[in-house]
Amino acid sequence: MKFDKSEIKKRISRHKIKLSVLLILFLVWLFCLPSPLFNVPTATVAESSSGQMLGARIADDGQWRFPQMDSVPDRFEKCILYFEDEHFYRHPGFNPISISKALWNNLTSDFRRGGSTITQQVIRLSRQNKGRTYFEKIIEIFQATRLEAGYKKKSILNLYASYAPFGGNVVGLETASWRYFGIPASDLSWGQSAALAVLPNAPALIFPGKNEEILKQKRDALLLKLFQNEVIDETTYQLALDEKLPGKPLPLPEFAPHLTEKIRKEHHGKRIETTIDFSLQQKVNNIVKEQHYMLAQNQINNLAVLVLDVNTREVLAYVGNSPTNLEHNNFVDIIEKPRSTGSIMKPFLFTSLLDAGEILPNTLVADIPTTVNGYTPENFDKKFNGAVPASVALSRSLNIPAVRMLRDFGFQRFYNVLKKTNQKAIDKPADYYGLSLILGGAESSLWDITKAYAGMASTLNFFNNSSSEYRKNEFVEPVYVKDYEEISFGEIQQKPSVWNAGAIYETFEAMEKVNRPSGEENWEFFTSSQPLAWKTGTSYGFKDAWAVGVTPKYAIGVWVGNADGEGRPGLTGIQAAAPVLFDVLNVLPQSGWFKIPYDELVEVEICTKSGHLAGLFCEETKMEWIPKNGTRTEACPYHQTVFLSRGVGTENFRVNSSCYPLSEMVQKNWFVLPPVMEYYYAQLHPEYKILPPFAPNCLQEGEKLMAFIYPKKNETVLLPKNFDENVNEVIFKLAHRSPETTVFWYLDSKYIGKTETFHELAISPKPGTYLLTTVDQDGNELREQIEIKSASENP
């Protein structure tokens, strides 16, 4: 048989055309699915570290559509397959028999019947439910086969469960489970699963008060089918029939609304697993709710709590505000907002001084009237202690010693230390803050303050658990998103990034032994079986109350106040914030106490009375562990040797060789404070013995017997006015070693009066510059130039 060459060419050409068409069809089929298949906005969902929902924010298109599920619960899978597509695991994306039945039914009756498989429904959902025409059906079948070729059956089922409509603006199984039953899809019962399985087929049935009977019939019919196919037993079937139908959508959980909002801004439209401990978050929420109820009685409306894991720097509890209302700014996330710090940064200064070797833990520091460049700090109780151990000044949060210590340390130097701890709100030059930096002159957030305390605890923990080493980045940002944000503490190094472990340990020791402030009753309320290094703070005007504490495992930060800055009486760290701190501490697991970092400490002999290194004349000493750099400090300057006259059973006068025989002198070591410190210290310490006066006719060799308490050197005196605008008297004050001595006062050589015992003199001078002179009865003289201004002249 012979073929014409032209015929052969025609046949070959036809085959090529067929192949080309087939290839084009194959390519169209191969690339017919969009990528991604669903390009729709999704809600933002925040979950705890163990998977419980903390909160959610609606998608941008107004739909409650959670991010795609990872898997479909077994109960719902069986329900949806028996209701929609029993042959799902056997067909290639479409079911010819179902389609034929549906086509015949639609041609021969007025009742419309669907024949779409779950795979086809996924395609229809991805095409945003375009019109149900035969042409559209062909497209669905075409794309369904491609979907089956590229996706596993479980993945297709997962797509359906994630994007199917469940009535109103509820999209997806997980969303529906929370909106209608208030539980995750994995916890759905058989009755609940069956009710949700029939909804995508007719989502309008969900509206409360309408079509409930039809919805019940559909659900019950599905349950019967499951029972007849032995998917469920009779008991389960009967119990499922009695279950309630879904009704009005329920509100979604709001266990951490401010953190959820934070995640919405930073991880928009995603399902985020946070580091939050769900149980702890619930407990802290309850504490905040109870405390807010009590605080609101005093019109204190806002409250924030942050709990960190010291060692991982994970956020374990995050309460950004109290459960108040819009009038009181309930949407404001206080944790992130800079507020006046009050005294909350005093431990940072104390640690810095210890670290630099400029004080020891119990070194006596001055607590006396102080003015520095016109700035006059005051203690909270308006009193002076004369001299207090540095650790006590910290635990009692005394302002005057803190300002004096900052002046000695240098506020630029302390400012540099704070910058190393990443206090982001302290963003102005050091001179802008000055000495007020330590008393709340700067602002910081609860986030940054708690982070810094956690960094201190972490430094100490790591040093003790490593081979006495440090990490470069101890003051890193805490994390609240699990397995998403990486935290790096930096390389290992021999030197600390900010403070050494010995200084931190001694600071925590002082903070753990907080003394009861004067005037505070029921302090035992704050005792706890769990040791805590803690500190409170109160801003000027009673606008911000702070309480922050650390254990070896946890850092707790509390802020209380009004978001709008309104101050209230009683809004102090000790009254408003401390109760919240200890309530939170009591729901945390036991942490024990910090290990002693012996490699950063050295044991030395300390003067018991002064807290300094023991000097030659210190009679009472003890051995103490101090930071290594503390060996640089001076020996006790307050003990000295004095010579006394030998009396009959008494030693009344100090003497020297100018007035008394050497053989008759009695040598004795004596604890002596400077005059102004002594003036206040002696009033609070009956055991303090003032030096005896010199015997008559004895030369005193330049001893400083007097010191002005007010006015201090270089201090401008302002003439005060009363409510009637009349100028009040100015009261000059003097400290004298011998209180019984008579002191004569002069202003520019003009005699203005005399004082005895209590050396305080009230006068009414005119503005001007004067030379103030005092002379005691023994002829000892003290002079100081002063400037007096009227209050109206003060800028």
Side-chain angles (χ1 to χ4, degrees):
M1 184 178 180
K2 294 183 180 180
F3 292 95
D4 185 11
K5 288 184 179 181
S6 61
E7 182 66 22
I8 293 174
K9 288 182 179 180
K10 289 179 181 179
R11 290 187 179 185
I12 292 174
S13 178
R14 284 196 295 270
H15 281 301
K16 285 183 178 180
I17 292 172
K18 289 179 181 179
L19 287 173
S20 297
V21 171
L22 289 174
L23 180 60
I24 292 172
L25 286 174
F26 175 74
L27 291 174
V28 171
W29 177 83
L30 187 63
F31 297 103
C32 67
L33 294 181
S35 181
L37 188 61
F38 288 89
N39 187 21
V40 290
T42 55
T44 305
V45 181
E47 297 179 343
S48 71
S49 60
S50 50
Q52 295 94 335
M53 185 188 293
L54 297 174
R57 295 292 178 267
I58 199 166
D60 291 342
D61 60 355
Q63 301 292 306
W64 277 113
R65 184 190 298 107
F66 285 6
Q68 185 175 323
M69 300 176 64
D70 295 327
S71 61
V72 179
D74 183 65
R75 288 175 182 172
F76 182 80
E77 179 179 339
K78 286 184 170 59
C79 288
I80 197 64
L81 292 183
Y82 274 96
F83 184 76
E84 288 282 2
D85 191 355
E86 288 187 58
H87 304 287
F88 174 71
Y89 282 104
R90 294 190 294 274
H91 63 63
F94 66 97
N95 188 331
I97 297 175
S98 295
I99 291 176
S100 299
K101 289 180 179 180
L103 180 60
W104 177 255
N105 181 83
N106 294 339
L107 291 174
T108 58
S109 69
D110 294 332
F111 175 73
R112 290 293 178 264
R113 172 179 173 176
S116 297
T117 63
I118 287 178
T119 311
Q120 288 176 260
Q121 292 184 55
V122 169
I123 294 299
R124 184 165 65 248
L125 290 170
S126 73
R127 292 173 60 78
Q128 300 181 352
N129 292 310
K130 293 189 177 181
R132 296 192 176 187
T133 63
Y134 289 113
F135 179 72
E136 182 64 29
K137 187 67 67 176
I138 292 172
I139 294 176
E140 286 178 9
I141 294 172
F142 187 74
Q143 290 188 334
T145 58
R146 176 65 184 91
L147 185 63
E148 289 277 351
Y151 288 74
K152 294 180 179 179
K153 287 285 188 179
K154 288 287 186 182
S155 298
I156 296 171
L157 191 61
N158 189 36
L159 287 169
Y160 176 81
S162 298
Y163 295 100
F166 285 84
N169 66 345
V170 179
V171 178
L173 172 64
E174 187 70 21
T175 315
S177 181
W178 279 106
R179 292 290 278 161
Y180 297 132
F181 299 110
I183 57 175
S186 58
D187 292 346
L188 289 171
S189 66
W190 281 108
Q192 293 167 336
S193 298
L196 292 182
V198 304
L199 271 181
N201 184 265
L205 296 179
I206 196 62
F207 291 106
K210 295 182 180 180
N211 304 317
E212 289 185 6
E213 188 58 34
I214 300 176
L215 176 59
K216 187 175 188 310
Q217 290 175 4
K218 284 178 171 287
R219 183 202 67 176
D220 292 351
L222 175 56
L223 289 171
L224 178 61
K225 192 173 185 180
L226 292 172
F227 171 59
Q228 291 172 342
N229 284 274
E230 299 182 348
V231 176
I232 57 177
D233 57 31
E234 186 174 2
T235 302
T236 303
Y237 169 61
Q238 294 297 335
L239 291 173
L241 290 175
D242 291 333
E243 291 188 47
K244 291 183 178 181
L245 292 169
K248 183 179 179 181
L250 303 172
L252 291 171
E254 281 283 26
F255 290 107
H258 299 89
L259 181 61
T260 302
E261 185 62 21
K262 189 179 179 74
I263 289 173
R264 182 193 68 81
K265 294 175 182 177
E266 298 173 1
H267 305 280
H268 191 70
K270 295 181 180 179
R271 183 191 302 272
I272 296 297
E273 182 181 1
T274 70
T275 59
I276 296 295
D277 182 313
F278 186 71
S279 175
L280 178 61
Q281 181 73 24
Q282 286 182 301
K283 292 174 182 176
V284 175
N285 282 344
N286 290 334
I287 290 170
V288 169
K289 183 178 180 180
E290 293 172 4
Q291 291 289 344
H292 170 254
Y293 175 79
M294 293 185 286
L295 290 165
Q297 312 307 309
N298 188 27
Q299 298 179 36
I300 301 172
N301 300 298
N302 303 105
L303 165 63
V305 178
L306 179 66
V307 182
L308 304 179
D309 183 305
V310 162
N311 297 310
T312 66
R313 221 68 99 248
E314 291 181 343
V315 176
L316 302 179
Y318 191 107
V319 180
N321 208 329
S322 53
T324 182
N325 52 35
L326 184 61
E327 180 185 357
H328 297 124
N329 305 289
N330 60 324
F331 290 114
V332 175
D333 187 351
I334 301 292
I335 289 176
E336 295 184 321
K337 303 302 179 186
R339 306 289 302 200
S340 174
T341 53
S343 300
I344 207 67
M345 293 197 294
K346 286 177 181 175
F348 304 157
L349 175 61
F350 184 77
T351 312
S352 298
L353 286 159
L354 290 174
D355 181 78
E358 296 181 18
I359 63 168
L360 299 183
N362 295 304
T363 297
L364 283 181
V365 293
D367 182 20
I368 58 177
T370 301
T371 298
V372 183
N373 296 328
Y375 176 57
T376 304
E378 292 182 333
N379 291 328
F380 188 79
D381 60 5
K382 310 294 185 183
K383 298 178 181 179
F384 306 99
N385 296 275
V388 291
S391 61
V392 174
L394 173 63
S395 63
R396 292 181 57 191
S397 198
L398 299 176
N399 292 336
I400 294 173
V403 170
R404 295 177 69 94
M405 286 191 286
L406 178 57
R407 180 190 62 184
D408 295 340
F409 187 74
F411 58 81
Q412 176 67 57
R413 191 173 164 204
F414 183 57
Y415 173 88
N416 294 340
V417 170
L418 292 179
K419 296 302 287 185
K420 290 181 181 179
T421 67
N422 292 326
Q423 300 297 308
K424 295 185 289 295
I426 302 179
D427 54 3
K428 297 177 176 62
D431 288 341
Y432 175 86
Y433 303 105
L435 293 175
S436 67
L437 180 63
I438 200 61
L439 301 183
E443 292 185 338
S444 189
S445 64
L446 185 62
W447 178 269
D448 284 343
I449 291 294
T450 310
K451 171 186 70 180
Y453 276 73
M456 294 174 72
S458 178
T459 299
L460 183 53
N461 286 344
F462 185 80
F463 181 86
N464 282 324
N465 294 329
S466 67
S467 301
S468 300
E469 294 176 318
Y470 296 94
R471 295 182 293 198
K472 185 177 182 180
N473 302 325
E474 278 292 359
F475 295 87
V476 295
E477 293 298 310
V479 295
Y480 49 88
V481 177
K482 199 168 187 178
D483 300 327
Y484 196 94
E485 301 169 338
E486 285 194 19
I487 186 166
S488 173
F489 292 100
E491 59 191 28
I492 305 300
Q493 55 190 27
Q494 299 304 310
K495 294 183 178 180
S497 58
V498 182
W499 300 296
N500 73 70
I504 293 172
Y505 178 79
E506 293 294 344
T507 300
F508 286 172
E509 282 282 289
M511 293 168 64
E512 197 269 337
K513 298 177 178 65
V514 172
N515 292 335
R516 181 177 68 86
S518 175
E520 295 292 340
E521 287 75 31
N522 300 320
W523 186 247
E524 63 274 8
F525 174 77
F526 299 114
T527 60
S528 172
S529 58
Q530 182 166 194
L532 179 74
W534 64 293
K535 182 74 184 72
T536 60
T538 305
S539 69
Y540 179 77
F542 303 102
K543 297 179 180 180
D544 305 272
W546 300 77
V548 183
V550 288
T551 72
K553 292 183 180 179
Y554 306 103
I556 311 165
V558 176
W559 178 92
V560 178
N562 287 310
D564 60 6
E566 179 188 358
R568 294 296 304 165
L571 182 54
T572 65
I574 207 67
Q575 291 178 311
V580 184
L581 173 71
F582 279 89
D583 281 352
V584 174
L585 177 67
N586 289 335
V587 300
L588 289 171
Q590 288 284 332
S591 294
W593 188 239
F594 296 93
K595 297 177 183 177
I596 302 176
Y598 286 108
D599 286 352
E600 286 284 25
L601 300 173
V602 60
E603 193 174 23
V604 297
E605 188 177 11
I606 298 293
C607 177
T608 304
K609 288 187 176 181
S610 72
H612 282 268
L613 297 174
L616 293 175
F617 307 121
C618 294
E619 294 182 327
E620 297 180 23
T621 64
K622 58 183 178 181
M623 299 302 295
E624 280 188 5
W625 291 92
I626 65 169
K628 286 182 177 179
N629 288 341
T631 56
R632 303 173 184 173
T633 60
E634 64 176 340
C636 176
Y638 301 125
H639 277 88
Q640 63 185 50
T641 293
V642 296
F643 295 93
L644 306 174
S645 60
R646 187 184 299 276
V648 180
T650 182
E651 298 157 347
N652 291 322
F653 297 102
R654 280 182 287 163
V655 294
N656 53 41
S657 58
S658 69
C659 63
Y660 204 78
L662 290 174
S663 60
E664 296 295 320
M665 293 181 188
V666 176
Q667 182 177 338
K668 191 168 185 178
N669 294 332
W670 207 285
F671 177 61
V672 184
L673 293 172
V676 178
M677 292 172 64
E678 180 182 81
Y679 175 79
Y680 293 101
Y681 185 86
Q683 298 175 35
L684 301 174
H685 296 268
E687 76 282 1
Y688 181 81
K689 294 181 179 180
I690 296 175
L691 272 174
F694 272 93
N697 303 320
C698 274
L699 298 176
Q700 298 178 21
E701 301 175 356
E703 181 191 22
K704 188 175 182 181
L705 297 175
M706 296 181 288
F708 286 114
I709 298 175
Y710 183 79
K712 299 293 291 181
K713 189 175 182 180
N714 299 324
E715 179 179 8
T716 300
V717 178
L718 294 178
L719 296 176
K721 291 185 178 181
N722 58 25
F723 290 111
D724 298 326
E725 290 297 311
N726 296 320
V727 177
N728 289 333
E729 293 180 319
V730 174
I731 300 176
F732 292 153
K733 296 182 181 181
L734 178 79
H736 197 289
R737 288 264 187 228
S738 302
E740 303 301 327
T741 300
T742 300
V743 175
F744 303 93
W745 297 71
Y746 300 86
L747 206 59
D748 278 351
S749 302
K750 180 181 178 182
Y751 176 73
I752 57 175
K754 69 176 181 178
T755 55
E756 296 178 355
T757 308
F758 298 103
H759 302 294
E760 299 181 1
L761 183 68
I763 66 170
S764 300
K766 294 181 179 180
T769 301
Y770 300 90
L771 180 64
L772 178 63
T773 306
T774 57
V775 182
D776 68 12
Q777 64 188 33
D778 297 320
N780 297 297
E781 184 178 290
L782 180 65
R783 295 184 177 187
E784 184 173 299
Q785 186 167 321
I786 61 172
E787 183 178 6
I788 299 176
K789 291 183 177 181
S790 64
S792 59
E793 294 181 56
N794 192 43

